[in-house]
Amino acid sequence: MEPIRRFHNATQHETDESALQVWWQTFGDAVLNRFVEACLKQNAELSLASLRVAEACVGLTRTLEDMATQPDCLKAWSLFHSLRVRLVAATARTYVDVLALQERLLCADLAIRHQSGLLQYGRAPTTDRAFDANHSAQAADLPELHLHRVRLQGERDAALAGLAWLVGEPLDLVLARIDGRLLPPPISAIPAPGTPDSLELRRPDLLATALQSGSQQSQDVHQARVDAIRHEQAFDRAVCEVERALAVLTAAIGESRPARAAALSAGNRASALVQKMRTGQPDHEAMLHANRLYHAHCDREIEVRARGYRALVDLYEALGAGWPAPIEAAEA
């Protein structure tokens, strides 16, 4: 008996197939749930794919065995469910991008406010030319912060527009639902992805190619071999996608704690310098540097959290999660 194959970096626990069908609900985010539901109901591309299934499968019972006898029906069915998986993942991924950019915008606003206040504090009358030159050099950081904020604002607005298209809702309504929301705490655990063999019955593209190959018993040997190679290539690519997502997610989880610790350490350093200033021992240059370093670490920590959530979404997409796959949990 051959040993059970496992994904690299994956847990040894079996995955919950019923949870994979509605995986976005595991985040416990009501706004995300609403967006995904809107995407499934209102996305124009998905609606068109559904109509193509209805057209190609007229008179069929829509069972896998029945559809396997009609290549056009099976192809339309596979494209519809594969599109569904991609659109659900794209909605969740874009939602994560918006939340991350909104939090980074907040961080940038705080950095600008703090840096402006420190620069204003340092503008005390002085005849020290060296101090004036240093003050001018430090002031040059402020335009860079403003430029960074403008760039983040543009990226946030672009992500919002993409999310509005995905869910089929007006941009102002999407903005009202998502405005002010921030990323949740970092991911601390990797969901069980099951085994590579379970992909054959979970991913609609792999399942369709397997059914099509199995239904063409009378085809010539050459074509049968070509179909078998294509199916093997698709399977290997699917496994690679899962492995890649697991590797990125593992790295993001491992990086989250040091990134948070670095931000806290930089914050403590900035706070200590503020306390020193209040006792009449100001170190203006050190305070400006500490403030700049603190907000840079905060921005990086947000990016690490966002990368973890994107990798988690990529993992669910690679697993073919997001549709009612014809597989029981015991078979995974």
Side-chain angles (χ1 to χ4, degrees):
M1 181 176 180
E2 294 185 2
I4 298 177
R5 293 184 295 176
R6 299 285 183 184
F7 291 111
H8 182 66
N9 283 333
T11 65
Q12 300 300 311
H13 302 291
E14 297 296 340
T15 188
D16 183 353
E17 294 295 337
S18 61
L20 284 179
Q21 294 179 14
V22 288
W23 59 265
W24 56 91
Q25 295 182 5
T26 62
F27 294 142
D29 190 320
V31 175
L32 174 59
N33 294 342
R34 177 176 292 184
F35 281 144
V36 173
E37 290 171 5
C39 174
L40 295 177
K41 293 178 181 178
Q42 300 169 178
N43 183 271
E45 190 177 2
L46 191 61
S47 297
L48 181 59
S50 177
L51 292 175
R52 287 171 178 165
V53 174
E55 180 182 7
C57 301
V58 173
L60 299 179
T61 62
R62 300 287 184 92
T63 62
L64 292 175
E65 293 78 9
D66 201 4
M67 287 190 297
T69 63
Q70 300 294 328
D72 290 342
C73 176
L74 186 61
K75 181 180 179 180
W77 173 88
S78 172
L79 290 175
F80 169 76
H81 284 295
S82 297
L83 178 62
R84 175 189 167 110
V85 169
R86 290 199 305 273
L87 288 176
V88 169
T91 299
R93 192 181 297 113
T94 308
Y95 180 72
V96 168
D97 289 341
V98 173
L99 295 188
L101 288 166
Q102 289 192 155
E103 188 166 350
R104 293 180 67 193
L105 272 170
L106 178 61
C107 180
D109 286 338
L110 290 173
I112 291 171
R113 189 180 311 146
H114 292 166
Q115 204 77 347
S116 298
L118 289 172
L119 287 169
Q120 186 67 34
Y121 170 79
R123 286 174 180 166
T126 178
T127 58
D128 189 343
R129 292 186 177 182
F131 180 88
D132 287 341
N134 182 65
H135 184 274
S136 299
Q138 296 287 358
D141 291 333
L142 199 55
E144 288 293 332
L145 288 173
H146 281 286
L147 180 62
H148 176 63
R149 192 200 183 284
V150 170
R151 183 168 56 250
L152 291 176
Q153 182 72 53
E155 292 177 2
R156 199 286 300 261
D157 292 346
L160 275 172
L163 184 59
W165 179 87
L166 285 165
V167 302
E169 293 184 345
L171 180 58
D172 56 348
L173 179 58
V174 172
L175 178 59
R177 288 179 175 172
I178 208 170
D179 191 38
R181 299 183 67 84
L182 306 176
L183 275 177
I187 298 170
S188 58
I190 299 175
T195 65
D197 292 334
S198 65
L199 291 179
E200 296 267 18
L201 294 176
R202 186 189 299 119
R203 284 185 53 139
D205 53 340
L206 296 180
L207 181 57
T209 57
L211 289 171
Q212 187 173 11
S213 300
S215 65
Q216 298 177 356
Q217 299 295 337
S218 59
Q219 65 183 356
D220 62 86
V221 176
H222 174 74
Q223 186 61 43
R225 180 57 180 161
V226 170
D227 289 343
I229 292 176
R230 287 176 177 171
H231 179 71
E232 184 178 350
Q233 287 179 326
F235 175 77
D236 290 342
R237 183 168 57 250
V239 172
C240 181
E241 290 172 359
V242 175
E243 299 280 15
R244 186 187 303 117
L246 282 169
V248 175
L249 181 55
T250 301
I253 291 175
E255 190 179 349
S256 62
R257 184 172 294 179
R260 180 59 179 164
L264 288 174
S265 177
N268 291 335
R269 168 63 175 166
S271 297
L273 288 171
V274 170
Q275 294 299 324
K276 186 177 180 180
M277 176 192 70
R278 290 173 178 172
T279 62
Q281 306 175 58
D283 189 340
H284 188 248
E285 182 179 355
M287 285 191 297
L288 285 168
H289 177 73
N291 178 66
R292 188 168 59 252
L293 186 63
Y294 168 60
H295 289 288
H297 278 297
C298 288
D299 188 72
R300 187 177 67 176
E301 190 273 334
I302 297 168
E303 287 188 299
V304 170
R305 269 189 289 142
R307 186 160 63 249
Y309 278 100
R310 291 190 201 101
L312 183 58
V313 173
D314 290 345
L315 175 60
Y316 282 122
E317 182 180 9
L319 290 173
W323 70 291
I327 180 172
E328 300 295 332
E331 298 176 322

